[in-house]
Amino acid sequence: MAIAKVNGVEVEFEPGMTVLQVAELAGEEIPRFCYHERLSIAGNCRMCLVEVKPGPPKPQASCALPAAEGQEIFTKTPMVKKAREGVMEFLLINHPLDCPICDQGGECDLQDQAVGYGRDDSRYDENKRAVEEKAMGPLIKTVMTRCIQCTRCVRFITEVAGSPEIGLISRGEDVEITTYLGAAVTSELSANVIDLCPVGALTSKPYAFEARPWELKKTESIDVMDALGSSIRVDGRANAVLRVLPRINEEVNEEWISDKTRYAVDGLQRQRLDRPYVRVDGKLKPATWAEAFAAVSAKIKATAPERIGVIAGDLQDAESLKATKDLFTALGVKNLDARQDGAALGQGPRESWLFNSTIAGIEDADVVLFVGSNPRLEAPVLNARFRKQWLAGKTRFGVIGEQVDLTFGYDYLGAGAKTLSGLAKAKNDFVAAFEAAERPAIIIGQGALARADGAAVLKAAAGLAKTFNVVREGWNGWNVLHTAAARVAGLDLGFVPAEGGLSTGDMLKPGALDVLFLLGADECESAASDAFKIYLGTHGDAGAHKADVILPGAAYTEKNGLYVNTEGRVQMGKRAVFPKGEAKEDWSILRALSETLGHKLPYDSLDQLRAKLFADHPTFGQIDFAPGSVPTVFDLAAVGGEGEATDAPFESPVKAFHLTNPIARASVTMAECAANVSAASKIAAE
């Protein structure tokens, strides 16, 4: 490795590193505004100036200067200090200095670096320029007079999000950041520019003037808006969640989160179920917990086990699934299903329903085939990884399903199962590349599995994977991309119909059941069932509308819980605030209900429940471990089921990205985003 000196200290570095990176290896802090590790180098803020020998006797921008063997780098000389003070003085020429009313206050890079590297006065007394605000949609508030033209937002939206809707116009003193044709930003990742903005030019519109950073209680948790399990920080005050921010997790979400993850939180305050309800004379009326439990237990005790069914929703934690399964299995119920959409998964080895390449490991794939998946809507943060691979020229992509804009180029192969079953015999460039690939991968979405012929489609995909040797020693390219945060945990727990039990679709048929227990299940057509419905959930959504008894539960920010993401990684969510009103944690409701039913569950605390969960299902004890990181060869012949696949085209189950669950549908911000996307689509169509 090459060696350079930083302030007299020798440092080894890898070829291709910049002077800024080498200086940071030596532990020196280099101020910057435009430079960001995940974006291309712009070199336009000039705050990272250092002195380098050999070289011209002047300060140089360290972010854009390649490091070389034998260089001497100086970060604290009088020349460097004077140059940085001059740059800071220039940056503040037109800045309005309105820190007391700026939402970035307390979290502002400009504030911090002005104190650390700036002068204590300014030599400029000319009038400051003012810049007109820009309409960037319902998420991003703009105060463009504060902008220092670092172009982080431009580079993010173009390079990472793949939706070039923000750019720089004009020249010199008139330069401005604006949106394309003055339209709102529509990318599913757009609000990450708020975190990237080093000043207060781009801030959160829904969070505007809500709180200061030091007023908030910060809780590290896990996102449940999709099956990726992004690492998040939940900021709350009193008993309200005010905002959600991303945490860095290189294995899952890097440092990005989707707009839905960030902004659906206002839905946690609206349309909440905060007390039990019992339907009397056709109308839901408030009740006590004792009255609700009495109504539930009386109905269940009077019903034969084969006439009782349980459907689990998409946002449930593993503990609530475990408690529900233990209770109803003890009652002799076989009709349990955690697959609201009827996805053909749950049989065969665990690897058959996991994203085995892992989220980070998929970057090593050289050819990827999507089957019935639209990752841009189903997992936007994962889609950004695919775009990164494509931009680097590392990976070739093929799609069987909907022909949509994924923000990266791909070979479109066909629409449905006919293309899938015939791909092995097809003669085209993609098939040749797939056959020759060292690390081929297949990503199967719920659009291919959540349909009547899902088992046959899964069988065909497994056959294709076997033909192309997708699962081999040292590489497992078989991947299922889930859309529900609770799905993998449900499958791992065996929350599927026992032998002779009914699946979700069969349970919902009129006359199939007498009692239907809905554990946060809002995405299935429960209204079609004429059974006595018990709903345990958080919002007055579809599941609660037709319920006969409502038991108010806790949302994901209101309880400690384990969630298993699409790659099988068990992650721990933490409680940020307490449940609303009389609502309680789901497992504790089920524990209390079990006593009234005469089948007391064998745990009285969350720790005891987890101990039972880990004992019965050891994979849940492997916190933050992705099983695919140790590639496993498994028998693809055991994947899928019998039947004939139809030629109906594969369609992603996610049609309205911002409205996929009860929390998002209760959110005013998400409703505005959905309307914004709908309007943009209409204009594009015209």
Side-chain angles (χ1 to χ4, degrees), residues 138-139 206 225 241-242 259-272 539-541 556 657-675:
L139 304 182
M225 294 294 140
V241 174
L242 296 184
D259 292 349
K260 182 166 53 179
T261 298
R262 188 184 298 265
Y263 284 120
V265 290
D266 65 315
L268 293 167
Q269 308 297 325
R270 303 181 70 254
Q271 300 179 17
R272 288 299 302 272
H539 285 74
D541 205 75
Y556 75 106
F657 166 74
H658 300 94
L659 305 173
T660 56
N661 60 61
I663 298 173
R665 287 191 289 270
S667 165
V668 173
T669 306
M670 290 296 97
E672 290 175 358
C673 289

Side-chain angles (χ1 to χ4, degrees), residues 417-476:
K418 185 177 180 180
T419 303
L420 178 66
S421 58
L423 192 66
K425 297 177 182 177
K427 303 294 183 183
N428 57 53
D429 290 345
F430 179 83
V431 172
F434 201 49
E435 195 169 16
E438 293 182 14
R439 291 177 299 278
I442 292 179
I443 297 176
I444 305 151
Q446 303 309 298
L449 303 176
R451 37 191 265 166
D453 61 349
V457 171
L458 186 63
K459 188 81 172 175
L464 184 69
K466 194 166 187 178
T467 300
F468 287 102
N469 198 22
V470 166
V471 179
R472 60 184 75 172
E473 197 65 39
W475 174 256
N476 189 338

